[in-house]
DNA sequence: CTTTGTGCAAATTCTTTGCACCAAA
DNA sequence: TTTGGTGCAAAGAATTTGCACAAAG
């Protein structure tokens, strides 16, 4: 929990009990959780935690660059503490999201464009995971 | 409008007045529209059209492979009739989505994976477009 | 007729907002 | 104290569902 506290400071995020708890969860559960998954995981030990705070906290983390918001899941926003260049795979059957690390670095290069200023890239794969391969 | 009718048949989609109108709009407005944009564009000339039908129609088009659903915009689902391999750019300021055609074909290759069966790739870029470059 | 498609209204789900209270400096 | 953070309840927006009616074959 202390590490989370320190970790937040690296991104100039003022730690609070709630923020540290959310960051602690993200650092120790690399499952690209939704707001609801974070809330559900923390509320047993933090009964007064509100979902609004989880929303506020994640918005702040994204704004400060500590966390990346993923668009891969059309249903809910998902968050990733790993801000290094990598892709994601989502199983259309179970909805779980996994990291795809073995991609060529060139895939994360920003293409030249006269019309746009491109800030970030997201590489997403959809399909079925081993346990759901039927679908 | 007749072309849309024929176009649908290529994907074994039974044409109806509504389906042809939606496909006609998609073929002639390559703006990656949302459900609401499609509905708003068509309802003046088709006053009885319902948004439910637009949802049903797009679900069918996606299922039949005539249209691709984009996840780039976290707010709304967006649809693209161009099912060829290409990427997308969304301006975080105005929300418009543009095609990015000049990407290496290798970027659309499916990576090897023992854990997943990957069916599709989506390459998305975020940033600001020329007219919004302030942000 | 029989099946498939459409459209309305209500319900659900996810996210945002307004505001009062709490906590830290 | 003053500022920023939290949490509740309500509002808002996007999507889905249930069901009755219309259209097509």
């Amino acid at each position: 929990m202390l590490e989370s506290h320190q970790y937040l400071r690296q991104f100039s995020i003022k730690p609070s009990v709630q923020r540290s708890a959310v960051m602690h969860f993200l650092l120790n559960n690399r499952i690209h959780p939704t707001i609801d998954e974070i809330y559900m995981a923390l509320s047993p030990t933090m009964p007064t935690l509100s979902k609004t705070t989880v929303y506020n906290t994640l918005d702040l983390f994204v704004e400060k660059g500590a966390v990346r918001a993923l668009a891969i899941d059309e249903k809910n926003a998902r968050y990733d503490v790993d801000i290094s260049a990598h892709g994601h795979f989502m199983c259309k059957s179970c909805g779980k999201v996994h990291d795809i690390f073995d991609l060529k670095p060139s895939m994360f290069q920003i293409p030249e464009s006269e019309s746009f200023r491109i800030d970030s890239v997201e590489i997403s794969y959809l399909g079925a995971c081993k346990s759901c391969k039927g679908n």
Side-chain angles (χ1 to χ4, degrees), chain A residues 7-120:
Chain A
Y7 192 84
L8 291 176
R9 295 210 185 282
Q10 297 177 11
F11 296 93
S12 7
I13 296 166
K14 231 196 272 183
S16 72
V17 178
Q18 292 84 345
R19 290 171 182 176
S20 297
V22 170
M23 183 49 85
H24 183 259
F25 178 80
L26 290 173
L27 290 171
N28 294 283
N29 301 81
R30 309 295 183 112
I31 57 168
H32 317 90
T34 63
I35 292 288
D36 199 61
E37 283 169 347
I38 298 168
Y39 174 73
M40 290 310 211
L42 298 181
S43 60
T45 43
M46 279 187 100
T48 70
L49 181 67
S50 85
K51 213 176 260 192
T52 303
T53 297
V54 182
Y55 274 104
N56 290 338
T57 301
L58 272 293
D59 285 351
L60 178 71
F61 289 2
V62 169
E63 190 195 311
K64 295 289 190 176
V67 153
R68 195 183 238 282
L70 306 182
I72 194 172
D73 182 350
E74 316 202 14
K75 302 283 176 193
N76 324 285
R78 291 184 169 274
Y79 299 90
D80 192 350
V81 262
D82 184 344
I83 53 177
S84 71
H86 67 283
H88 295 97
F89 165 85
M90 186 171 79
C91 174
K92 277 182 276 190
S93 181
C94 67
K96 289 206 188 84
V97 174
H98 302 268
D99 291 306
I100 304 285
F101 290 115
D102 54 348
L103 295 176
K104 296 211 183 78
S106 64
M107 292 186 62
F108 298 94
Q109 275 170 211
I110 301 297
E112 294 292 318
S113 169
E114 294 177 7
S115 322
F116 323 118
R117 188 203 63 221
I118 299 178
D119 297 328
S120 63

